[in-house]
């Protein structure tokens, strides 16, 4: 069975500072990993995904994530935070069964301080 | 591509009433998923369809829940005899293909409040 752990339910950074959101996964098979962002009262939007190609994945809005198999991690980073980055971020792993349903972490609320 | 749409966006009901939600996926997508999201948590898988066939259901999907996807197009999720514990955001997602690498596109969700 797959599982995802997101360390830190709330992260605050100053505008212009580095954003680092942590995600560790557990999977019995080589995983497909995703980061989604959710703005208030909206659905989830895909930021980026790892599908066993390059271990450093670049996504939208300047975000990137690095897959590290030895650490079972897929941390999300952005060099310089913008006020518009304030949102909730979810890491997810794709299931290995036929359903391929996503198993999500509990989310990290990012606050960007002026 | 108009994205995944869900209706209604908000539903307030009294305990014991039945409610039905609708999801319209992206037109060419063969897979449709339902998830439930409670406050402060990530979405949890409920069920999925490949075309019109409902192929898997989570243990979260009690007997009071039923989902359909007639003709492999839109889907409905019905909750009978609602309970306060059913209050949550119900999210629909769709994807194309059968691989785990394929992105799931999410709708805006239906927020259910059971009084």
């Amino acid at each position: 069975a797959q599982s995802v752990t997101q360390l830190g339910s709330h992260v605050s950074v100053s505008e212009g500072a580095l954003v680092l959101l942590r995600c560790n996964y557990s999977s019995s098979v080589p995983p497909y990993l995703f980061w989604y962002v959710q703005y208030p009262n909206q659905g989830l939007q895909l930021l980026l995904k790892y599908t066993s190609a390059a271990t450093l994945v670049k996504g939208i809005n300047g975000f990137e994530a690095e897959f590290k198999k030895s650490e079972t991690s897929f941390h999300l980073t952005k060099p310089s935070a913008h006020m518009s980055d304030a949102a909730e971020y979810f890491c997810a792993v794709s299931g290995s069964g036929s359903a391929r349903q996503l198993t999500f972490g509990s989310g990290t609320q990012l606050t960007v301080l002026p | 591509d108009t994205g995944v749409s869900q209706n209604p966006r908000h539903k307030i009901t009294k305990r014991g009433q039945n409610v039905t939600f609708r999801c319209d996926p992206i037109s060419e997508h063969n897979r449709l998923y339902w998830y439930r999201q409670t406050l402060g948590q990530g979405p949890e898988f409920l069920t999925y369809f490949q075309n019109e066939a409902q192929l898997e259901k989570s243990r979260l999907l009690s007997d009071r829940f039923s989902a359909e996807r007639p003709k492999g197009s839109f889907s409905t999720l019905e909750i009978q005899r609602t309970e306060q514990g059913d209050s949550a955001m119900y999210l629909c997602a769709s994807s194309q293909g059968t691989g785990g690498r394929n992105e799931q596109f999410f709708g805006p969700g239906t927020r259910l409040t059971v009084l």
Side-chain angles (χ1 to χ4, degrees):
Chain A
Q2 284 74 30
S3 66
V4 172
T5 301
Q6 291 185 241
L7 297 175
S9 58
H10 292 84
V11 170
S12 294
V13 299
S14 297
E15 191 173 19
L18 172 72
V19 175
L20 170 61
L21 305 181
R22 299 178 187 274
C23 171
N24 288 87
Y25 70 90
S26 172
S27 176
S28 56
V29 297
Y32 298 129
L33 295 160
F34 304 80
W35 275 100
Y36 282 86
V37 62
Q38 186 176 35
Y39 297 98
N41 298 315
Q42 293 187 28
L44 283 77
Q45 179 185 7
L46 182 70
L47 283 175
L48 50 79
K49 63 181 181 181
Y50 168 74
T51 58
S52 72
T55 56
L56 182 62
V57 181
K58 294 187 184 298
I60 62 171
N61 302 337
F63 285 94
E64 63 182 36
E66 186 172 8
F67 173 72
K68 292 186 177 181
K69 183 178 179 180
S70 61
E71 299 177 8
T72 60
S73 69
F74 189 56
H75 301 332
L76 182 71
T77 60
K78 182 174 180 178
S80 177
H82 191 272
M83 297 296 288
S84 61
D85 295 327
E88 187 143 29
Y89 292 79
F90 292 96
C91 182
V93 61
S94 176
S96 59
S98 60
R100 298 296 191 178
Q101 74 272 25
L102 296 174
T103 298
F104 288 85
S106 55
T108 297
Q109 181 68 46
L110 176 66
T111 300
V112 181
L113 305 170
Chain B
D1 178 0
T2 57
V4 179
S5 61
Q6 292 187 247
N7 287 288
R9 293 291 308 277
H10 304 273
K11 179 70 176 178
I12 300 174
T13 190
K14 294 182 179 179
R15 188 179 55 183
Q17 298 295 305
N18 299 342
V19 295
T20 300
F21 311 140
R22 176 177 170 129
C23 170
D24 287 89
I26 294 172
S27 58
E28 65 268 24
H29 285 184
N30 60 342
R31 288 198 160 203
L32 187 148
Y33 298 81
W34 285 99
Y35 293 84
R36 181 173 71 185
Q37 185 179 21
T38 53
L39 200 61
Q41 299 297 319
E44 295 174 290
F45 169 73
L46 292 178
T47 189
Y48 101 103
F49 292 83
Q50 183 157 317
N51 300 311
E52 68 276 9
Q54 186 175 17
L55 296 184
E56 190 162 329
K57 292 190 253 187
S58 159
R59 285 173 291 180
L60 293 176
L61 211 67
S62 76
D63 292 344
R64 296 184 296 105
F65 287 69
S66 62
E68 295 182 341
R69 192 183 182 197
K71 303 179 182 178
S73 56
F74 71 92
S75 176
T76 59
L77 178 68
E78 180 183 16
I79 309 174
Q80 296 181 327
R81 305 181 303 281
T82 52
E83 301 173 356
Q84 288 185 327
D86 297 332
S87 295
M89 175 80 86
Y90 290 84
L91 294 165
C92 175
S94 69
S95 69
Q96 177 61 23
T98 57
R101 66 181 64 199
N102 298 321
E103 175 186 354
Q104 292 183 25
F105 293 81
F106 283 81
T110 295
R111 183 169 296 283
L112 173 65
T113 302
V114 181
L115 302 176

